[in-house]
Amino acid sequence: MTEPSQNPVPLSALSADQLAAFLTEQRAAYDALKARDLKLDLTRGKPASSQLDLSDALLTLPTSTTDAAGVDVRNYGGLEGIREIREMFADLLWVEPEQVVAGGNSSLVMMREVLVDLWLKGGVDSERPWGQEEKVTFICPVPGYDRHFTLLEWFGIDMITVPMNDDGPDAEAVARLVASDPSIKGIWIVPTYANPSGSIVSQEIAARLASMPTAAPDFKIFWDNAYAFHHLTEDEAKSADILSLAAAAGHPHRPIMFASTSKITYAGAGVAFLAGSVETVKWYTGHLGKGAIGPDKLNQLRHAQFFGSAQGVRDHMVKHREIIAPKFAEVERVLSERLGGLEVATWTKPTGGYFVSLDVLDGTASRVVQLAKEAGIALTPAGSSFPKGDDPRDRNIRLAPTFPAPAAVTEAMDAVATCVLLAAAEHLSA
Amino acid sequence: MTEPSQNPVPLSALSADQLAAFLTEQRAAYDALKARDLKLDLTRGKPASSQLDLSDALLTLPTSTTDAAGVDVRNYGGLEGIREIREMFADLLWVEPEQVVAGGNSSLVMMREVLVDLWLKGGVDSERPWGQEEKVTFICPVPGYDRHFTLLEWFGIDMITVPMNDDGPDAEAVARLVASDPSIKGIWIVPTYANPSGSIVSQEIAARLASMPTAAPDFKIFWDNAYAFHHLTEDEAKSADILSLAAAAGHPHRPIMFASTSKITYAGAGVAFLAGSVETVKWYTGHLGKGAIGPDKLNQLRHAQFFGSAQGVRDHMVKHREIIAPKFAEVERVLSERLGGLEVATWTKPTGGYFVSLDVLDGTASRVVQLAKEAGIALTPAGSSFPKGDDPRDRNIRLAPTFPAPAAVTEAMDAVATCVLLAAAEHLSA
């Protein structure tokens, strides 16, 4: 199905006749693709069933219902979560247990709660609630995570983009923006194996972000470490220790870290975490306690017993890698074979996380997604990695290869390549 | 330990000498109580361990991980909850499945989310977000649930109290208030076995609340049916069907209903529900979807398998009744024996729910709670059933007898009676 590229010459170097022939060829390939009547989905970063199966021991846990502190986890209470799961993830995230809150099944919900609290009450270092500011702006490194942008948009928060580079957000651009504009209250960062680029924020960039002067006294780094342990190679990235860096720079309340077991155990039934300065944790649980009694401690104990230890989490992640690394390898293989040398696309080769970020020719991403859709392959909408779905160059497509079976990944990537080539040929012929 | 009252004459009818003797007697009794060095807790409406044990079959459920719609409940998605648990509770709450959202482990969290959405965005029938109104006021029937008031206070919502009568809130007073004041946006009602009075909102009162004209076009009834199935007798109260009543009266979006399995299965690890008009449900999930991917569907399936059917829920509640009804009977027995005829206190005899509401002599509730505390018996702070903890008559005390073991309930109520008598004697002697 996947064949080496017939034409290693850059597409733009073809003569008009050659290009016309190429376009005809791609139209035929696309028609053949459509005729296959595929139904494939590469839209979301969801674990495959085989990954979820790895955690099915959870279904008969916990084997007891009392936590290490002697609390009956079946009953009410314990806003901050049970001690043993907080200790385990404090270890994994290099913070103290007092800096960690274990919550429900969604770190995104915790992010929303934090934004609600900032909006209605202000942070530990705010002059007033954010909702009382004339304008609130966030810096959004792009490409980034669509749900982050959707949430900001819901609050009516303005978004300014900066490039997400291989070593993290463009720190020069960020530092320049935050230095002078007090409406800029935050930045959203997926520091390790970023969604969708796979970038890893370097120690230097993290230090810069942690220490840079900001016009807003209550500037926040939303450090969404969703893929902290989600390595695709044996060369395991270590996330920069943003809390220590910020504390050392005199801005202990600047970062708020989020993580979860959504892509460690069950995507819909895991445990989410928030970490920050002790004051931040008190601030968060203080507001939380006005409208919550406690998280599902039973599920936390279930997870603590399942993992056994922080090392248990790391060991478990190796099993995920064994399942998904071959899918990422297949993405790389097919894209290289089909698109290599044609100069119609570039794509990331992530060493962790859940995504491949594909950049096609400027102005063709929407067309590729549309072509794919008509051929039965659902891709994340073009532009979704940008605030309000607006990719100014219309070139970025997020590929999510974890959920489909391996054969389907091959098939889908081959189809995507066909669509990329047809869109490029159309574009260059226009 | 508990003795019939020595003195069936009203305390206020005693002569000065008799009262002095009575006071001396009560001081001695209180000193004897203190000497016993008790450590008892009647503060919160928590299920006892033996009640939680009734649901321990949950610990090895679910036995499969696919819901009735064929969805893998371990993975992401399904904002509105799984179909089978929605159908089950729609049946129990007399609504359609399309009117029900099954959420996480806390209905209080859902109430907070609804208030956040109303505050930031406005309801389906709002002219503007509530946060943009000059003032927002809620009517709070008292005595009521402290966490409701705490949440309103957090938003800066003003609270006006009306009496909670045996058949529900004073509907005349409510109707008068809402007719003229457009700042009054809502009322909080625990319709069945109210916290703490045990009152049941009658069909007539519910119909009045559902149909009354309101100056605010987006007036909401927060119908917190936390104890809908929590009967203490075989005479099971049926909650008024507020959604149908409101729809029939032309105000379909007025009520928003909340319920949960917190006091059916596990207090900290149950499933919460929201119900309302189909538009309300769409409004809620629409906003929820901006910052959430889905609830813990696995726990929902666990519950659906555990109950089997709506009747399974009703059957399960009988087992709770068998455990807690004797505790409520003991509260009644001890208070009657110790305080009957003395005219120093009245208390409710609930037929369901989790509380007994005790009214002592005006001006003595705080003293009773303080005396109890010094004798090792923790009671809910005096006034906690009133907004901002302010009971203008300082007479109400909420008793929560479910959590302690039966012998401890007897001991605690005997101790409370001693404190009530001493405080009354002190008060009348002053």
Side-chain angles (χ1 to χ4, degrees):
Chain A
M1 187 163 39
T2 303
E3 309 159 29
S5 167
Q6 304 293 311
N7 192 344
V9 176
L11 220 55
S12 59
L14 298 186
S15 69
D17 280 359
Q18 286 172 317
L19 188 61
F22 185 86
L23 178 59
T24 305
E25 201 178 294
Q26 298 313 318
R27 281 194 175 129
Y30 180 70
D31 288 343
L33 170 65
K34 271 176 86 168
R36 294 183 57 210
D37 214 12
L38 296 175
K39 204 166 163 48
L40 300 168
D41 191 329
L42 286 181
T43 53
R44 304 286 337 167
K46 287 167 70 169
S49 296
S50 55
Q51 291 178 265
L52 299 169
D53 293 345
L54 296 174
S55 299
D56 279 351
L58 285 170
L59 295 173
T60 50
L61 290 174
T63 52
S64 58
T65 54
T66 305
D67 72 7
V71 171
D72 187 336
V73 295
R74 301 171 302 176
N75 222 323
Y76 285 120
L79 261 189
E80 68 288 341
I82 66 169
R83 182 83 191 175
E84 48 263 58
I85 199 87
R86 293 169 71 204
E87 280 175 352
M88 198 179 287
F89 278 80
D91 181 346
L92 289 161
L93 298 166
W94 304 306
V95 298
E96 297 302 314
E98 293 70 34
Q99 294 181 279
V100 176
V101 179
N105 76 324
S106 167
S107 56
L108 184 62
V109 166
M110 292 177 115
M111 297 175 211
R112 183 196 205 246
E113 286 168 349
V114 165
L115 280 171
V116 166
D117 295 343
L118 288 165
W119 199 261
L120 296 180
K121 302 292 172 177
V124 293
D125 40 18
S126 295
E127 289 165 331
R128 63 191 71 84
W130 287 11
Q132 288 174 21
E133 302 282 357
E134 290 223 353
K135 189 169 95 159
V136 174
T137 307
F138 259 58
I139 297 178
C140 298
V142 288
Y145 179 32
D146 55 349
R147 291 191 190 272
H148 288 167
F149 306 148
T150 299
L151 187 49
L152 293 177
E153 195 178 349
W154 188 74
F155 278 91
I157 292 173
D158 283 358
M159 294 177 261
I160 298 177
T161 61
V162 298
M164 185 70 174
N165 299 325
D166 285 348
D167 59 354
D170 180 337
E172 273 309 311
V174 173
R176 203 164 43 238
L177 285 163
V178 297
S180 59
D181 183 348
S183 90
I184 299 180
K185 292 287 196 184
I187 183 171
W188 226 311
I189 297 176
V190 180
T192 309
Y193 310 132
N195 175 352
S197 68
S199 302
I200 299 162
V201 176
S202 70
Q203 188 70 16
E204 295 67 36
I205 297 289
R208 182 81 196 270
L209 296 169
S211 64
M212 65 190 178
T214 62
D218 53 351
F219 180 83
K220 299 283 168 238
I221 298 173
F222 280 61
W223 190 260
D224 183 2
N225 215 345
Y227 309 101
F229 323 111
H230 303 55
H231 316 290
L232 285 168
T233 73
E234 285 179 24
D235 181 20
E236 304 189 347
K238 280 204 157 190
S239 303
D241 179 2
I242 191 72
L243 288 177
S244 298
L245 289 169
H251 305 299
H253 315 311
R254 181 176 290 184
I256 305 181
M257 192 190 292
F258 302 92
S260 80
T261 72
S262 293
K263 290 181 183 94
I264 298 176
T265 56
Y266 290 155
V271 179
F273 300 91
L274 172 150
S277 67
V278 170
E279 290 86 344
T280 298
V281 162
K282 281 186 185 156
W283 168 85
Y284 171 73
T285 54
H287 288 304
L288 188 66
K290 304 296 185 182
I293 303 177
D296 185 340
K297 299 185 299 299
L298 191 77
N299 199 37
Q300 295 182 356
L301 183 60
R302 185 179 286 130
H303 276 74
Q305 290 186 1
F306 175 72
F307 292 128
S309 67
Q311 188 54 44
V313 177
R314 294 186 200 101
D315 293 344
H316 186 74
M317 294 312 295
V318 174
K319 301 177 194 164
H320 282 287
R321 190 182 81 206
E322 287 165 359
I323 293 174
I324 66 175
K327 298 182 182 180
F328 281 86
E330 194 59 5
V331 172
E332 171 59 28
R333 185 186 68 79
V334 176
L335 292 182
S336 290
E337 289 184 5
R338 296 286 314 279
L339 305 178
L342 298 175
E343 296 184 8
V344 295
T346 60
W347 55 92
T348 55
K349 292 147 195 79
T351 55
Y354 262 58
F355 303 101
V356 171
S357 182
L358 171 69
D359 279 338
V360 294
L361 288 188
D362 282 20
T364 67
S366 308
R367 177 65 179 154
V368 170
V369 172
Q370 182 204 348
L371 286 168
K373 186 180 175 187
E374 288 168 11
I377 298 99
L379 299 178
T380 312
S384 65
S385 296
F386 291 75
K388 305 190 180 183
D390 177 24
D391 173 4
R393 295 174 63 176
D394 187 24
R395 66 166 180 170
N396 186 255
I397 296 170
R398 185 183 79 168
L399 301 174
T402 56
F403 186 69
V409 172
T410 305
E411 220 163 25
M413 292 318 303
D414 200 56
V416 167
T418 298
C419 297
V420 169
L421 288 173
L422 175 54
E426 287 174 348
H427 186 74
L428 294 172
S429 309
Chain B
M1 188 162 44
T2 304
E3 307 159 33
S5 167
Q6 303 293 313
N7 192 342
V9 175
L11 220 56
S12 60
L14 298 186
S15 68
D17 280 359
Q18 285 172 318
L19 188 61
F22 185 86
L23 178 58
T24 304
E25 203 177 294
Q26 297 313 317
R27 282 193 175 133
Y30 180 70
D31 288 345
L33 171 66
K34 271 177 86 169
R36 296 183 56 208
D37 215 12
L38 297 174
K39 205 167 161 48
L40 300 168
D41 192 329
L42 287 180
T43 53
R44 305 287 334 169
K46 288 166 70 169
S49 296
S50 54
Q51 292 178 264
L52 300 169
D53 293 346
L54 296 173
S55 300
D56 279 350
L58 285 170
L59 296 172
T60 50
L61 290 174
T63 51
S64 57
T65 54
T66 305
D67 71 7
V71 171
D72 187 335
V73 295
R74 301 171 301 177
N75 222 323
Y76 286 119
L79 261 190
E80 66 289 341
I82 67 169
R83 182 83 191 175
E84 49 262 58
I85 198 87
R86 292 169 72 204
E87 280 176 352
M88 197 180 289
F89 277 80
D91 182 346
L92 290 162
L93 298 166
W94 304 305
V95 297
E96 297 302 313
E98 294 70 34
Q99 294 180 278
V100 176
V101 179
N105 75 325
S106 167
S107 56
L108 184 62
V109 166
M110 292 177 114
M111 298 175 211
R112 184 197 206 245
E113 286 168 351
V114 165
L115 279 171
V116 166
D117 295 342
L118 288 166
W119 200 259
L120 296 180
K121 302 292 173 178
V124 292
D125 39 18
S126 295
E127 289 165 333
R128 63 191 72 84
W130 287 11
Q132 289 175 21
E133 301 283 356
E134 290 223 353
K135 188 168 96 159
V136 175
T137 308
F138 259 59
I139 297 177
C140 298
V142 288
Y145 179 33
D146 55 350
R147 291 191 189 272
H148 288 167
F149 306 147
T150 300
L151 186 50
L152 293 178
E153 196 178 348
W154 188 74
F155 278 91
I157 293 174
D158 283 359
M159 295 177 260
I160 298 177
T161 62
V162 299
M164 184 71 174
N165 299 326
D166 285 350
D167 59 353
D170 180 338
E172 273 309 312
V174 173
R176 205 164 41 237
L177 286 164
V178 297
S180 58
D181 183 350
S183 89
I184 298 180
K185 292 287 197 184
I187 184 171
W188 225 311
I189 297 176
V190 180
T192 309
Y193 310 132
N195 175 352
S197 67
S199 303
I200 300 161
V201 177
S202 70
Q203 189 70 16
E204 295 67 36
I205 297 289
R208 183 83 197 271
L209 296 169
S211 64
M212 64 190 178
T214 62
D218 53 352
F219 180 82
K220 298 284 168 237
I221 299 173
F222 279 62
W223 190 260
D224 182 3
N225 215 344
Y227 309 101
F229 322 111
H230 303 56
H231 316 290
L232 285 168
T233 74
E234 287 179 23
D235 181 20
E236 303 188 348
K238 281 203 158 191
S239 303
D241 179 3
I242 191 72
L243 287 177
S244 298
L245 290 170
H251 305 298
H253 315 311
R254 182 175 290 183
I256 305 181
M257 192 189 294
F258 302 92
S260 81
T261 72
S262 294
K263 290 180 183 96
I264 299 177
T265 56
Y266 291 155
V271 178
F273 301 91
L274 173 149
S277 66
V278 170
E279 291 85 343
T280 298
V281 162
K282 281 187 185 155
W283 169 86
Y284 170 73
T285 54
H287 289 303
L288 187 66
K290 304 298 184 180
I293 303 178
D296 184 341
K297 298 186 298 300
L298 192 77
N299 200 36
Q300 296 182 356
L301 183 61
R302 185 179 285 132
H303 276 74
Q305 291 187 359
F306 175 71
F307 292 129
S309 66
Q311 188 55 43
V313 177
R314 294 186 200 101
D315 294 344
H316 187 72
M317 293 313 294
V318 174
K319 300 178 195 165
H320 282 286
R321 190 183 80 207
E322 287 164 359
I323 293 174
I324 66 174
K327 297 181 183 182
F328 281 86
E330 195 59 4
V331 171
E332 172 58 28
R333 185 186 68 77
V334 176
L335 292 182
S336 289
E337 289 184 6
R338 296 286 315 278
L339 305 178
L342 297 176
E343 296 184 7
V344 295
T346 60
W347 56 92
T348 56
K349 291 145 196 78
T351 56
Y354 262 58
F355 302 101
V356 171
S357 181
L358 171 69
D359 279 338
V360 294
L361 288 188
D362 281 21
T364 68
S366 307
R367 177 65 178 155
V368 170
V369 172
Q370 181 203 350
L371 286 168
K373 186 180 177 187
E374 288 168 10
I377 298 99
L379 298 178
T380 312
S384 65
S385 296
F386 291 76
K388 304 190 181 185
D390 178 23
D391 173 3
R393 294 174 65 175
D394 187 23
R395 66 167 180 170
N396 185 256
I397 296 170
R398 186 182 80 167
L399 302 174
T402 56
F403 186 69
V409 172
T410 306
E411 220 163 25
M413 291 319 303
D414 199 56
V416 166
T418 298
C419 297
V420 169
L421 288 173
L422 175 56
E426 287 175 348
H427 185 72
L428 293 172
S429 309

